[in-house]
Amino acid sequence: MAGSLEFIKSFDDTASTSSVTLTDCFNRGYDVYAISITHMSSSSNVAYLRARFLDSGGSVISDSEYDYAHMDMMADTSFGERRNTGQTSMELSFMGGVNYKDVGGFIVYVFNPDSSSSFTFTTVQASQVDGALTGSKGITVHKSAEVITGINFLPSGGTLDEGAKFSVYGVK
């Protein structure tokens, strides 16, 4: 069935940390992978969820190879755009600060991570309540054609609070 998900792995973050790395979650023969993230929050009151890919050797790619563009849609104020090129990480979405871990979630689709001959792209959708309903949609690109084996998540400020749940699926 087209568009069905096949479970690959899950991970629960059990400690506050500066980043969370999911290893060996790609290279399963899919063109598209889906990563569901719930219960994510940061010790910082204002933070964005960022990510970096892992190369075929398992090392975090932190070269200036990432571009992103996002639309933040807040219910209580005007919408905002964020975009940048040549960054050392992808900015995925706004995430709530302290005490907001139970009121939102993220879905990140990763395209072409198994291919050594094309760039790796993501789309992300997120929603949460942080005083008011907030949503975001975005796209990113890793502008280096190489095999990607995992992903490293980190906040733009503070630390990631314990309790985040990650699930990785292959999309058929």
Side-chain angles (χ1 to χ4, degrees), residues 28-89:
R28 307 289 177 106
Y30 299 97
D31 293 330
V32 182
Y33 295 82
I35 303 171
S36 169
I37 307 168
T38 59
H39 305 290
M40 173 73 73
S41 66
S42 168
S43 64
S44 172
N45 283 330
V46 177
Y48 290 89
L49 181 62
R50 296 182 177 271
R52 303 173 293 195
F53 288 125
L54 305 182
D55 63 20
S56 60
S59 297
V60 172
I61 302 169
S62 57
D63 296 330
S64 300
E65 300 174 345
Y66 301 100
D67 297 352
Y68 62 83
H70 291 277
M71 171 72 72
D72 292 326
M73 300 165 282
M74 287 77 62
D76 63 341
T77 187
S78 51
F79 291 6
E81 293 181 5
R82 293 175 289 112
R83 58 182 171 257
N84 222 325
T85 60
Q87 300 299 295
T88 58
S89 65

Side-chain angles (χ1 to χ4, degrees), residues 123-137:
T123 62
V124 62
Q125 297 180 64
S127 67
Q128 67 176 26
V129 177
D130 185 9
L133 182 61
T134 302
S136 68
K137 291 182 73 97

Side-chain angles (χ1 to χ4, degrees), residues 129-146:
V129 177
D130 185 9
L133 182 61
T134 302
S136 68
K137 291 182 73 97
I139 57 173
T140 69
V141 61
H142 173 242
K143 296 191 312 183
S144 177
E146 61 185 300

